[in-house]
Amino acid sequence: MNWLVLIIAGLFEVAFAFCLSKAKEATGNDVYLWYGGFFICATISFLLLIKAIQTLPIGTAYAVWTGIGAVGTVLLGILVFKDPANFWRVFFIVTLISSIIGLKYVSH
């Protein structure tokens, strides 16, 4: 169950990175809405991470959490913000995903 909580925490990390990116592009009062979304998503992400580390090793949980955030943010950048998707970028994303899966399977 705590692995699911950790995955959701990582997805909220992607959401707060998305909010930061949108705040950078926003004007007027919309900036404050995006920063509010950032604050809410960051708070939820950290609270779920705290819940997950009650039973998961902190090193593994933190690595998985940041890995999900990193992979999700890069994929979001490619799919939504039209960031470049060259061979080496995709190769290292796949390597990171493989490492996250590996950490899950070697953790007790």
Side-chain angles (χ1 to χ4, degrees):
M1 178 65 180
N2 281 324
W3 282 104
L4 179 61
V5 170
L6 185 60
I7 290 167
I8 294 168
L11 294 175
F12 272 100
E13 185 180 2
V14 175
F16 77 66
F18 176 77
C19 289
L20 278 179
S21 184
K22 294 301 282 185
K24 182 178 72 173
E25 299 172 353
T27 58
N29 288 335
D30 287 348
V31 171
Y32 300 113
L33 293 173
W34 286 112
Y35 282 132
F38 162 79
F39 180 75
I40 291 167
C41 290
T43 301
I44 293 169
S45 182
F46 282 108
L47 289 173
L48 291 174
L49 176 63
I50 290 167
K51 173 72 175 149
I53 64 170
Q54 290 176 352
T55 58
L56 299 174
I58 182 70
T60 301
Y62 184 74
V64 170
W65 179 71
T66 58
I68 292 168
V71 169
T73 303
V74 169
L75 292 176
L76 190 71
I78 291 170
L79 297 172
V80 175
F81 297 108
K82 307 299 184 221
D83 290 348
N86 60 39
F87 171 79
W88 288 110
R89 207 162 176 196
V90 174
F91 172 78
F92 287 115
I93 291 170
V94 170
T95 303
L96 186 54
I97 293 169
S98 301
S99 298
I100 292 168
I101 292 169
L103 280 172
K104 186 213 181 293
Y105 283 110
V106 299
S107 297
H108 297 48

